[in-house]
Amino acid sequence: PQQPQQPTTGITAQTISETIYSPQQQRLPFQLILEDVETSFVTERVFPSFKIKLLQSNSKEIYHDCLGWQVTVHLITGFGTTANEKLDDEQTRKPYLVEGVAEVSGLRFKDVSSSNGKFFKLQCEVTHPPNVTHLVQKVLSEKIEIKSCRCRVKSFDSLTPSDSIGDMPGIGRQYAQRLSLSGYKTIADLAKLKMGEE
């Protein structure tokens, strides 16, 4: 005997999947975005500073009312594993948002990307206060290639305006970091520096 047909509801596995994983359903109230992240650099030198911004997901405007919100930066290898130990100085990885913006400066990579899945990525998430962490979408940077600092020794003649000031002979780590914090990140920026200004 034939089995009685089950009534159809019009809901298929595809529509269930679309409902569960729909971007509209999964959208969180806030999201982080990254700005000015270098995609190629070297070990041991101060990584150029970059910005993390907190946006309202609907309006895409910066959310300013975030006093005390802290962001943590994680290092992700090309294998998909977390490798924070390959970044120098833990405190630089945990900036606070000020008026919806956090600037990350002072990071140093301690290992090359070629031995870590060919690239690194930076993952940023809000980790404090605990009652808002689940409301903010994490952000992942583009692939970052990190080479050994010994592979990038330049002479004055080979420098270009877009090169990092850390590539300039005679510029040490601490001084490069001071200049970066003052807004001087490239050779072109350094050329604008007036005598006696720094």
Side-chain angles (χ1 to χ4, degrees), residues 4-61:
Q5 286 188 336
Q6 296 295 325
T8 59
T9 61
I11 300 177
T12 64
Q14 181 177 355
T15 57
I16 292 174
S17 176
E18 288 173 352
T19 301
I20 295 174
Y21 299 106
S22 164
Q24 287 77 18
Q25 296 290 331
Q26 295 297 309
R27 181 179 294 167
L28 298 176
F30 305 100
Q31 64 184 92
L32 295 174
I33 64 168
L34 292 169
E35 285 189 357
D36 305 323
V37 180
E38 289 285 341
T39 56
S40 180
F41 206 66
V42 295
T43 58
E44 305 304 327
R45 302 279 176 84
V46 177
F47 192 69
S49 60
F50 60 92
K51 292 180 179 179
I52 306 170
K53 293 185 176 182
L54 177 67
L55 303 185
Q56 300 178 69
S57 297
N58 290 334
S59 65
K60 303 301 180 184
E61 294 181 355

Side-chain angles (χ1 to χ4, degrees), residues 43 78 111-120 144-147:
T43 58
D111 201 359
V112 295
S113 55
S114 59
S115 59
N116 289 277
K118 298 185 179 180
F119 63 86
F120 290 116
I144 302 172
E145 181 185 26
I146 300 294
K147 297 180 180 180

